[in-house]
Amino acid sequence: MRICMLLNAVYPTDIRLAKEVESLAANGHTVYILSEADEDLPDREEVGSATVIRRPFQAAYAGLDGVAAGTRTLVTNVVESWVHALDDIVPTEGIEALHAHDLPMVHTALAAGEKHDLPVVADLHENWPEAVKQYRRGDSLDSFTNFRYVARRLTRPVLRWKRIERDAVQRADRVIAVTEEAAAHYVRDCGIDASKVDIVSNYVSLETFDDAELRDVGFEDDFVISYVGTLGGPHRGLDAVVRSMPAVVERVPSAHLVIVGNGQEYRSHLESIVTDLGIGDHVTFTGRVPFEDVPSYIDASDVCLVPHQSTGHTETTVPHKLFQYMAMSRPVVVTDVEPLRRVVEDADAGVVVRADDPAGFALAFVELATDHERARRLGENGRRAVETRYCWDTAGESLCACYRTLDNSSEPSRRSTELSTV
């Protein structure tokens, strides 16, 4: 099939999307990616196995006409400038299916799909309504001085996002979820048939880590406990990890917490805790690092972390980092958030502790620092599980199976695009 993916961002930026492209291409599909423009990137180029077409969609929101366009989008969930772009791309490139990445793009894909009689795949990387709820908790008061922000918040409360989600998954021809828990959510809470959902999880391509050029990032004499990922807010759960460090250092003087990633507001909060506890010599914030350096930081680690708090969002998703850690044979410490607990216990790849429990984290770190054989065994178990069950080959096959089902359907389940001001 000739597939056009819709990504409301500048590509290349998305690791998951890149892996999807390669799997689809290897199975004989032709993939186009329609994405936002960037002044430093061409309007059209080949990136990996995909043809990337970039358009300056944000320009449609400039001036008074932009206010009107933005208002229509807020009401209808359809971005007209994307539909107009697809009016050109679909016939020119012979597109046979539309693939929308994340909930905000699904209604736009549905509108274009109805117009051109094309099936639509809704690829939901996360539980969007719950993510909105989670991130809005951390919004600063300054955000409310931004007209567009206030308009979005007033016109798209979380309850409306839930209605948008329900409408989108019911009308899409196929729905892709990242975890078993997310798939169950779409069936239970959105009322769709389980046979319509494919699970394509955030597994890793082993060669990305096996072939990585590792460099020395320091910490050779330390017992390194690392977290790699964005510092998007308190739901990341690092408060409890930082608060555990005095007890860890007391038993393991060489213990060093390395936090790799960006997110200035939450980082400042964590740094204030570090200062209050007087553990500055045992905690390092690296800031954002290039993805190609991530394997080096994992390689320098003795234990790796996913300390998420339990929220509606974290209970239905699983981060790439978990499988990246396991791919590099590092024992993991995770919280009892269901997708994390399920994977780690299934693989016997680490220790599960209660969320927001500094004492639990301290105990886990000390045990792994003092029981080298157990730490080695857990790391090896994780690697074995990634080789056999949690590898991208498995996820990629699920994605291709989704398209085989779509291709074998007699016709797309057409749906009205009369908007739905859900």
Side-chain angles (χ1 to χ4, degrees):
M1 298 183 76
R2 300 178 72 81
I3 303 162
C4 184
M5 294 184 164
L6 281 62
L7 178 70
N8 189 19
V10 178
Y11 189 81
T13 52
D14 192 298
I15 298 171
R16 174 186 170 91
L17 195 158
K19 291 183 290 190
E20 290 187 356
V21 166
E22 297 309 317
S23 292
L24 289 169
N27 275 261
H29 299 284
T30 301
V31 183
Y32 297 83
I33 300 172
L34 181 60
S35 86
E36 270 289 347
D38 185 289
E39 61 182 12
D40 296 324
L41 296 172
D43 293 341
R44 182 185 180 109
E45 69 171 329
E46 305 301 311
V47 179
S49 297
T51 299
V52 180
I53 301 171
R54 302 185 182 93
R55 296 288 183 269
F57 294 113
Q58 288 301 315
Y61 296 119
L64 292 178
D65 289 342
V67 173
T71 300
R72 289 193 296 272
T73 297
L74 287 173
V75 172
T76 65
N77 307 301
V78 174
V79 187
E80 295 170 354
S81 56
W82 285 75
V83 176
H84 295 329
L86 288 166
D87 287 343
D88 173 58
I89 293 168
V90 167
T92 301
E93 307 296 345
I95 301 301
E96 298 171 284
L98 299 176
H99 186 124
H101 286 276
D102 268 326
L103 183 59
M105 293 307 299
V106 177
H107 279 87
T108 297
L110 289 168
E114 176 72 15
K115 192 172 184 179
H116 296 282
D117 194 27
L118 297 177
V120 172
V121 175
D123 191 342
L124 305 179
H125 300 195
E126 57 188 339
N127 184 330
W128 193 271
E130 291 295 337
V132 169
K133 180 194 296 185
Q134 181 170 279
Y135 286 110
R136 282 182 178 175
R137 291 188 186 123
D139 288 345
S140 65
L141 291 176
D142 289 344
S143 301
F144 290 89
T145 63
N146 184 300
F147 170 77
R148 292 185 186 276
Y149 170 83
V150 173
R152 285 196 301 269
R153 181 146 184 163
L154 291 176
T155 58
R156 290 185 178 175
V158 172
L159 183 60
R160 183 167 179 240
W161 272 119
K162 289 181 180 292
R163 293 198 299 270
I164 291 170
E165 176 188 59
R166 181 182 179 88
D167 184 67
V169 299
Q170 288 184 350
R171 293 167 59 199
D173 295 277
R174 303 294 301 174
V175 174
I176 293 176
V178 294
T179 64
E180 296 173 11
E181 293 78 12
H185 158 65
Y186 298 127
V187 172
R188 180 185 63 246
D189 302 325
C190 299
I192 65 173
D193 193 284
S195 64
K196 184 177 174 176
V197 186
D198 299 280
I199 299 173
V200 180
S201 199
N202 289 326
Y203 301 157
V204 296
S205 297
L206 282 172
E207 57 270 20
T208 300
F209 293 87
D210 291 349
D211 299 340
E213 294 186 13
L214 302 178
R215 68 179 185 86
D216 182 5
V217 296
F219 313 111
E220 293 88 350
D221 299 325
D222 296 330
F223 177 77
V224 177
I225 304 160
S226 71
Y227 169 89
V228 179
T230 57
L231 304 182
H235 66 278
R236 301 292 179 181
L238 286 162
D239 301 56
V241 175
V242 172
R243 294 186 189 283
S244 77
M245 288 303 292
V248 178
V249 171
E250 184 177 347
R251 294 284 304 278
V252 185
S254 64
H256 201 119
L257 174 62
V258 180
I259 298 176
V260 182
N262 62 351
Q264 188 54 51
E265 188 171 343
Y266 189 44
R267 173 175 170 170
S268 296
H269 168 69
L270 295 172
E271 287 175 331
S272 69
I273 299 175
V274 170
T275 300
D276 291 345
L277 295 175
I279 53 173
D281 291 341
H282 295 274
V283 181
T284 295
F285 294 87
T286 70
R288 184 182 183 279
V289 303
F291 179 73
E292 55 265 27
D293 285 346
V294 166
S296 296
Y297 280 95
I298 297 176
D299 183 65
S301 305
D302 295 283
V303 176
C304 294
L305 278 167
V306 187
H308 288 173
Q309 295 178 343
S310 177
T311 69
H313 181 237
T314 59
E315 292 285 356
T316 52
T317 191
V318 65
H320 296 271
K321 65 173 72 67
L322 174 61
F323 304 109
Q324 293 169 355
Y325 299 156
M326 292 165 62
M328 296 197 70
S329 303
R330 293 303 182 265
V332 296
V333 173
V334 304
T335 48
D336 54 355
V337 171
E338 182 56 27
L340 299 173
R341 183 200 60 75
R342 172 173 54 79
V343 171
V344 171
E345 290 185 350
D346 171 68
D348 189 22
V351 180
V352 180
V353 304
R354 292 195 309 271
D356 290 321
D357 181 9
F361 281 114
L363 179 62
F365 298 149
V366 170
E367 286 182 348
L368 291 173
T370 54
D371 189 341
H372 301 293
E373 176 57 27
R374 183 187 182 204
R376 182 193 60 78
R377 177 176 57 81
L378 294 175
E380 290 179 351
N381 289 346
R383 169 66 190 202
R384 191 175 303 113
V386 167
E387 291 175 341
T388 57
R389 300 192 296 285
Y390 300 123
C391 59
W392 181 255
D393 287 347
T394 302
E397 172 53 31
S398 296
L399 175 63
C400 293
C402 165
Y403 272 93
R404 285 195 293 273
T405 301
L406 195 66
D407 196 30
N408 291 333
S409 300
S410 56
E411 60 180 297
S413 56
R414 292 273 58 89
R415 55 262 141 186
S416 172
T417 52
E418 284 295 320
L419 198 75
S420 152
T421 55
V422 281

